[in-house]
């Protein structure tokens, strides 16, 4: 049960929450593929997306200084390379232009969303200590610094740095420890029910689920203390001005 009076600290997910307003990044990327007129099916794209995420999880291609635009170019490049190598994409000469168009559209998408959300983050920051918990590639600090978000968080807990990945509840346990508060006095805000809400609940935290356009992998009956469909609804949840 959500109790605003009990809240003394906030844990934010990064990667689908602040940067895409609850929309799964695969969907954002696919929209960019469509806009760039890359001649592949969604299933082919999805296969390339999954391959790239798994590749990046075990290969240190992304460096700590890479911002989000850098990361998008790396991801798009790997996806397109996979599609070419597996003969799903034959326009080899266009891969560079495709990659640039995809990364630019996705970067602008994230930047525009974040700019709209900053007033809410500023108000929350005045009221609570805040920690970021993210499954990321070792460069999340460079990413959020580029977007002007670093000032909002007291600590950043990143899977590639701490060696624990969601949905392991231990990574949220590190967030609770960083805030130095009882778990019941902490609210976790995330876009993934299985990776954010479930492990946060196991730690005893309150939860706000930003339920957006995902990949349809939520369990039936999935719920949270509070469910919103737009980041801006946090104004009402926290009774902000």
């Amino acid at each position: 049960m959500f109790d605003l009076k009990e809240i003394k600290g906030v844990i934010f997910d990064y990667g689908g929450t602040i940067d895409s307003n609850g929309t799964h990044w695969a969907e954002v990327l696919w929209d960019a593929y469509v806009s760039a007129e890359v001649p592949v099916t969604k299933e082919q794209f999805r296969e390339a997306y999954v391959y790239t995420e798994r590749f990046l999880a075990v290969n240190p291609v992304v460096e700590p200084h890479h911002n989000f635009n850098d990361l998008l170019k790396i991801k798009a490049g790997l996806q397109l390379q996979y599609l070419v190598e597996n003969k799903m994409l034959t326009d080899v000469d266009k891969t560079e232009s495709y990659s640039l168009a995809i990364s630019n559209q996705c970067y602008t998408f994230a930047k525009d969303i974040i700019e709209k959300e900053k007033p809410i983050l500023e108000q929350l920051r005045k009221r609570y200590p805040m920690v970021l918990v993210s499954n990321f590639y070792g460069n999340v600090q460079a990413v959020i610094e580029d977007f002007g978000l670093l000032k909002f968080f007291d600590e950043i807990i990143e899977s590639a740095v701490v060696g624990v990945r969601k949905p392991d509840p231990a990574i949220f346990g590190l967030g609770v420890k960083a805030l130095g508060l009882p778990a019941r006095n902490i609210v976790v805000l995330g876009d993934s029910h299985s990776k954010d809400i479930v492990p946060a609940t196991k730690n005893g935290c309150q939860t706000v689920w930003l339920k957006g356009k995902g990949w349809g992998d939520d369990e039936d009956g999935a719920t949270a203390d509070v469910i919103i469909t737009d980041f801006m609804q946090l104004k009402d949840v926290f009774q902000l001005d």
Side-chain angles (χ1 to χ4, degrees):
M1 181 68 70
F2 183 77
D3 186 348
L4 182 59
K5 294 178 182 177
E6 286 286 306
I7 301 301
K8 307 296 181 186
V10 180
I11 294 176
F12 267 101
D13 159 63
Y14 190 85
T17 301
I18 298 173
D19 54 343
S20 69
N21 198 15
T23 301
H24 194 291
W25 265 101
E27 294 292 343
V28 180
L29 281 158
W30 171 244
D31 287 345
Y33 268 70
V34 173
S35 295
E37 299 182 346
V38 183
V40 295
T41 67
K42 190 171 185 178
E43 283 306 310
Q44 290 171 330
F45 158 75
R46 182 167 182 155
E47 186 177 322
Y49 176 88
V50 171
Y51 162 79
T52 298
E53 292 304 307
R54 290 175 178 171
F55 179 88
L56 291 175
V58 296
N59 293 278
V61 175
V62 179
E63 298 182 11
H65 69 274
H66 284 146
N67 66 21
F68 194 52
N69 204 17
D70 298 327
L71 176 60
L72 286 165
K73 288 176 182 176
I74 291 168
K75 283 191 172 190
L78 288 169
Q79 291 164 7
L80 292 163
Q81 181 182 341
Y82 177 89
L83 291 166
V84 168
E85 290 177 351
N86 287 275
K87 304 188 186 321
M88 299 176 192
L89 179 64
T90 56
D91 296 341
V92 181
D93 294 338
K94 292 185 177 180
T95 54
E96 188 172 342
S97 62
Y98 286 150
S99 178
L100 186 62
I102 291 164
S103 58
N104 285 345
Q105 178 170 322
C106 291
Y107 182 80
T108 300
F109 170 85
K111 187 173 183 179
D112 288 347
I113 282 178
I114 288 169
E115 286 305 312
K116 292 177 183 176
E117 296 171 346
K118 279 183 180 178
I120 289 179
L121 292 169
E122 287 172 355
Q123 289 189 65
L124 288 173
R125 179 68 179 127
K126 290 175 182 177
R127 202 181 280 185
Y128 308 106
M130 302 205 301
V131 167
L132 195 75
V133 172
S134 178
N135 279 358
F136 227 75
Y137 312 93
N139 67 319
V140 76
Q141 182 160 326
V143 169
I144 67 170
E145 185 173 15
D146 178 51
F147 285 134
L149 296 172
L150 194 58
K151 62 184 178 182
F152 297 121
F153 300 100
D154 297 282
E155 192 160 335
I156 299 166
I157 297 167
E158 183 179 9
S159 59
V161 175
V162 300
V164 183
R165 288 182 61 83
K166 305 173 190 179
D168 189 333
I171 194 167
F172 283 103
L174 293 174
V176 171
K177 183 178 179 181
L179 285 170
L181 296 165
R184 69 179 181 278
N185 297 132
I186 297 169
V187 62
V188 172
L189 296 99
D191 69 298
S192 171
H193 188 267
S194 61
K195 293 180 180 178
D196 297 319
I197 305 307
V198 172
T201 301
K202 288 180 179 178
N203 274 281
C205 299
Q206 299 190 51
T207 56
V208 175
W209 179 17
L210 175 54
K211 188 177 181 181
K213 187 178 179 182
W215 274 25
D217 53 358
D218 295 324
E219 294 182 8
D220 292 338
T223 189
D225 293 318
V226 176
I227 299 175
I228 59 176
T229 56
D230 188 324
F231 190 97
M232 304 308 286
Q233 290 174 306
L234 290 178
K235 288 182 179 179
D236 295 327
V237 173
F238 288 95
Q239 299 176 11
L240 303 175
D241 298 332

